[in-house]
Amino acid sequence: MDRLIREAAALLQNSTFTTAFTGAGISVESGIPPFRGEKGLWNNYDPVCLDIGYFLAQPEKSWEVIKQIFYDFFGNARPNQAHRVLAEMERRNLLQRIITQNIDNLHQEAGSKKVFEFHGNSMKLVCLACYQEYSFSPALLEKLPPRCPGCRGLLKPDFVFFGEPIPQEPLDAAFDAAKKSDVFLIIGSTGEVMPASQIPPLARQHGAKIIEINPQESNYTKSVTHIFLKGKAGAMMEKLAEILFPPSLEDN
Ligand code: APR
């Protein structure tokens, strides 16, 4: 594994445009369960709660599950070492962009600035009647389904439901990154969900070197990945950081 870590670190050090593509796996060590796999949320909850048609037809039932998963569960999660290393890489100009499928806001809380959220963000709610946006606060969810304080319209989390389009800005940023990245770092994704899952193969087609971090193989590992760092995000990013951020003289 150390040889692979060294090879991955060398690619990252020599890259002029590096993109990190993150999935639910990067937030597992922050206490947020993934969607798939043995402890996956979809083993205990029906993904229909995130289907836009179901949400509009049964807002109260949908909101009961959404509140449990994304607000009660996720609420007090904090960034872990993997998020922090990515933020430090950005500060040192070793990372140019993060495309995340996650809605947990942990990249931003770790200090990353160039983050594009392919599936939106759970920290904002939007009124489906007057389009007023609200920052999440527990008070908004005291009564379900939550109503707009301004017009009493139905509030929806500002993340992408199944059956909804990907917002244009992150979609463009993702395809742009796939075209111009020298190195593409996939962290913690099964590669199950379109259209996000077509981004890494596109990066490979455009000549990017693909590094993947995951404790298990994914849909990318055999067909897209060049360097597979088999392990948890925190530990693998820590090993990369030991090479990428050598202690400088003034640190001693
Ligand atoms: N470190 C790194 N990867 C991990 C860790 C960890 N500690 N723990 C689990 N993983 C990996 C799993 O092996 C799996 O490959 O994270 C991945 C999680 O897969 P998914 O739950 O399918 O997450 P993701 O690929 O992001 O799902 C994509 O599906 O339900 C939708 O909108 C939702 O954005 C989500 C999308």
Side-chain angles (χ1 to χ4, degrees), residues 81-119:
Q81 187 61 351
H83 297 102
R84 288 194 291 269
V85 171
L86 287 178
E88 182 60 24
M89 283 174 68
E90 181 184 286
R91 277 191 287 273
R92 294 174 184 236
N93 204 24
L94 285 166
L95 179 72
Q96 279 62 45
R97 191 169 294 177
I98 293 178
I99 307 291
T100 186
Q101 299 171 84
N102 301 338
I103 59 174
D104 54 33
N105 208 52
L106 291 183
H107 284 301
Q108 293 91 325
E109 288 180 30
S112 292
K113 303 272 182 276
K114 297 172 194 162
V115 183
F116 292 88
E117 297 171 301
F118 210 75
H119 294 147

Side-chain angles (χ1 to χ4, degrees), residues 134-220:
Y134 298 91
S135 297
F136 166 73
S137 79
L140 280 173
L141 302 190
E142 262 160 22
K143 198 174 168 323
L144 299 180
R147 292 281 164 193
C148 171
C151 78
R152 309 306 301 152
L154 175 64
L155 292 183
K156 173 184 172 294
D158 191 27
F159 54 72
V160 178
F161 280 46
F162 293 116
E164 279 195 300
I166 303 299
Q168 200 59 44
E169 190 202 22
L171 191 66
D172 294 345
F175 280 93
D176 174 57
K179 292 191 178 79
K180 66 188 188 188
S181 295
D182 306 306
V183 176
F184 208 80
L185 175 57
I186 306 171
I187 306 176
S189 182
T190 45
E192 291 278 330
V193 172
M194 287 290 279
S197 56
Q198 69 186 23
I199 303 298
L202 191 65
R204 167 125 185 185
Q205 283 160 30
H206 283 277
K209 286 290 183 210
I210 313 291
I211 301 165
E212 181 183 11
I213 294 174
N214 199 319
Q216 294 170 15
E217 292 201 355
S218 70
N219 289 350
Y220 304 119

Side-chain angles (χ1 to χ4, degrees), residues 13-39:
Q13 282 165 325
N14 297 313
S15 170
T16 51
F17 196 101
T18 297
T19 299
F21 177 85
T22 65
I26 196 172
S27 297
V28 166
E29 290 159 87
S30 296
I32 296 181
F35 293 98
R36 297 169 188 85
E38 60 183 287
K39 298 193 182 73

Side-chain angles (χ1 to χ4, degrees), residues 1 5 29 82 85 212-215 228-242:
M1 173 58 77
I5 291 282
E29 290 159 87
V85 171
E212 181 183 11
I213 294 174
N214 199 319
F228 181 43
L229 302 179
K230 187 173 170 64
K232 292 185 176 181
M236 292 297 118
M237 290 306 289
E238 182 56 37
K239 286 177 183 290
L240 287 171
E242 282 160 17

